[in-house]
Amino acid sequence: MLIEVWADTRRTGRCRSCGARIEWATAVSTGTAMPFDAPIVAESRRGLFVDERQVDAVDTLYSPSHFETCPQAPDWRRKGSR
Ligand SMILES: [Zn+2]
C-alpha cells in the first residue's frame, strides 16, 4: 500500500515503547502523524506538489507502520502515542 505523506513533516525519532528508530510523517489523506519503521523507503514524487508542498509516497511493504511492527504496540493504546 502506498501512503502519501508530506515530505516536510518527515522527522526521525525513537519509539517511546521499544526504542526502535522510527520516522514520523504526516499522511496527506488523514492529516495525522504516523510512525514508520526507519528509514522510510519513499518515492519522492517529483513534480507532485499539493498546495506547493512536496508529497512523498511511502510503500508500507518496505516501510510498515510502526503501529504494526512495534513489539510494545498493545501499550500504545494505554499510554497514548507521542
Ligand atoms: Zn516500538
Side-chain angles (χ1 to χ4, degrees):
M1 187 168 90
L2 285 177
I3 298 179
E4 292 183 336
V5 300
W6 298 114
D8 60 12
T9 62
R10 286 174 58 182
R11 60 193 163 84
T12 55
R14 279 190 189 275
C15 176
R16 295 169 67 90
S17 296
C18 74
R21 285 186 61 228
I22 56 174
E23 201 170 338
W24 291 94
T26 299
V28 172
S29 58
T30 60
T32 56
M34 298 177 59
F36 296 93
D37 285 0
I40 285 181
V41 179
E43 288 174 40
S44 259
R45 298 205 150 171
R46 292 194 186 285
L48 177 49
F49 291 85
V50 178
D51 296 336
E52 300 186 357
R53 293 172 75 187
Q54 170 76 44
V55 172
D56 283 352
V58 179
D59 189 335
T60 55
L61 193 62
Y62 305 107
S63 302
S65 162
H66 191 65
F67 280 132
E68 286 166 26
T69 62
C70 183
Q72 309 294 331
D75 288 348
W76 285 43
R77 250 181 241 117
R78 273 207 307 275
K79 296 175 190 163
S81 62
R82 259 195 292 171

